[in-house]
Amino acid sequence: QIKTRPALVVVYREADKNSDEEGGMRMSVQKYPVEQLMTPIVNSWLQQIRDHVIGVDKDALVSMPMTVDTSAALDEQCAAKGGLCVVAFIKDDNAEHKKIIHAVAKALYGKPYHFAIVDPTKQRTFSSVFDVNNPVDYPTVTVLAMRTSRYATHKGAFDEIAVRDFCTDILGGKVKTWRFQEMPKLVEGGETVEEIVEEEIVEEEFDLSDIMSEEVEGEAALSREDLAQRAQEELETQARLDA
């Protein structure tokens, strides 16, 4: 019932969840809740009704998560928005892996998750804090609770269902989290990895015949010494007898 003017009312049909008949519908009425018709509020109100009636166009609303290489960009994508930050560790912006993260972001739309992508090969120090060190560790995701300095890194399969379930399990308290002391910094443009020059190991070659000859000569030398000692002992013995 409209008692004041101007007024704004939306009338629409929607599924009747209480109906015993399959496909049952009912008429619904939504009245604009504010006395003054202000364009921003009206637009927001109409959008909410639209989302309720025909659903959310997640493809239009949820953009591909951004690859970040500065702490400021990560804060903008995650910390500034509150909730949980899902950092996807993806090498070289791999298109297939990014599609998986985009699908997870759309599946979790409307829930307190915000997404960003970091290249673990260019941000080694940052990645190592969250147990992402070697190629076998990525692609993966780390879910961060910025305010409490806690995290958990996914160790399972990197597919939409596994990653989505991991994120929801974090929120449900089903996954153990770990504390990090300080939020590591991202290096703009990526870290410069110093080239590791391995010291050349020189393998000295030995001639087996040389080794064997040394051993034989050693044995021969010992034999001569033994013979000399025995000869001396015999001479001393003979001298005593002659005396």
Side-chain angles (χ1 to χ4, degrees), residues 68-79:
V68 297
D69 66 352
T70 67
S71 295
L74 180 61
D75 289 343
E76 182 180 351
Q77 295 300 312
C78 285

Side-chain angles (χ1 to χ4, degrees), residues 230-243:
R230 288 178 183 178
Q232 183 65 31
E233 290 176 353
E234 290 178 0
L235 290 174
E236 291 176 354
T237 302
Q238 185 64 39
R240 286 195 299 270
L241 292 174
D242 293 341

Side-chain angles (χ1 to χ4, degrees), residues 48-110:
Q48 290 177 8
I49 295 177
R50 180 184 184 278
D51 294 345
H52 174 71
V53 176
I54 64 176
V56 177
D57 185 0
K58 295 181 179 179
D59 290 329
L61 292 176
V62 182
S63 59
M64 175 71 74
M66 180 185 299
T67 300
V68 297
D69 66 352
T70 67
S71 295
L74 180 61
D75 289 343
E76 182 180 351
Q77 295 300 312
C78 285
K81 298 179 180 179
L84 297 174
C85 179
V86 182
V87 177
F89 291 100
I90 296 176
K91 178 182 177 181
D92 296 333
D93 276 340
N94 182 283
E96 292 302 317
H97 297 159
K98 290 179 68 174
K99 286 181 181 178
I100 291 173
I101 289 301
H102 192 195
V104 173
K106 289 189 285 187
L108 297 177
Y109 174 78

Side-chain angles (χ1 to χ4, degrees), residues 30 71 74 87 94 127 131-132 147 180 212 216 226 234 243:
Q30 293 288 342
S71 295
L74 180 61
V87 177
N94 182 283
S127 305
D131 307 321
V132 180
R147 294 181 180 176
F180 57 92
M212 295 301 294
V216 171
D226 290 341
E234 290 178 0

Side-chain angles (χ1 to χ4, degrees), residues 116-170:
I117 297 173
V118 169
D119 189 333
T121 64
K122 297 178 181 178
Q123 304 290 342
R124 296 178 185 270
T125 301
F126 179 93
S127 305
S128 65
V129 172
F130 305 111
D131 307 321
V132 180
N133 299 293
N134 303 306
V136 294
D137 297 329
Y138 51 80
T140 190
V141 297
T142 292
V143 180
L144 300 170
M146 300 288 203
R147 294 181 180 176
T148 58
S149 298
R150 301 194 71 87
Y151 77 96
T153 298
H154 179 52
K155 297 297 184 181
F158 191 77
D159 57 56
E160 179 184 347
I161 295 175
V163 174
R164 183 200 63 202
D165 290 349
F166 175 75
C167 293
T168 54
D169 286 346
I170 289 285

